[in-house]
Amino acid sequence: MPRVRLLSFLLWCAPLALLAQEPTTPHDSVRGAIRTVDVRARTLEVTTGVGFALRVVRLQVPAGVPITDRQSAQPQLIGLGALQPGDVIRAAFGGRPTGFVAYTIERVGRMEGP
């Protein structure tokens, strides 16, 4: 009888354990201009939109995320501190319970001022 209870408990918990796993592949992407960079908190805010509809996407940037610079002929890895407000980036990210987490970031250009 205790084995049956244990087995039923494990079968009940298995779907919950699968739901608790974090996604490992990006499920969305964003292309826009960096609004803010917080190196200490490792976050970025990106302004993006289509037409008159604008939105701000806040991304957490874990330490191992590759950040590349596509402005030169040879893409090169750069650090989070090299990104500045006004840089145009493309980022792949996924949703987690704590918010959006970046998987890859590439700087593709810079916004021109007036």
Side-chain angles (χ1 to χ4, degrees), residues 7 21 91:
L7 183 60
Q21 291 180 351

Side-chain angles (χ1 to χ4, degrees), residues 15-104:
L16 297 176
L18 290 174
L19 289 175
Q21 291 180 351
E22 298 176 355
T24 57
T25 58
H27 69 77
D28 207 352
S29 64
V30 64
R31 182 178 177 143
I34 293 178
R35 181 176 164 190
T36 62
V37 179
D38 188 344
V39 177
R40 181 178 249 178
R42 299 203 58 86
T43 60
L44 288 176
E45 286 185 355
V46 180
T47 303
T48 187
V50 175
F52 294 114
L54 294 176
R55 70 178 179 143
V56 175
V57 179
R58 183 182 172 101
L59 299 173
Q60 299 171 7
V61 185
V65 171
I67 303 172
T68 56
D69 186 4
R70 296 273 179 197
Q71 292 179 344
S72 60
Q74 291 290 335
Q76 47 188 300
L77 288 174
I78 58 174
L80 181 62
L83 296 176
Q84 300 175 3
D87 285 347
V88 177
I89 65 165
R90 181 176 24 227
F93 65 94
R96 293 190 183 165
T98 58
F100 294 131
V101 177
Y103 294 110
T104 62

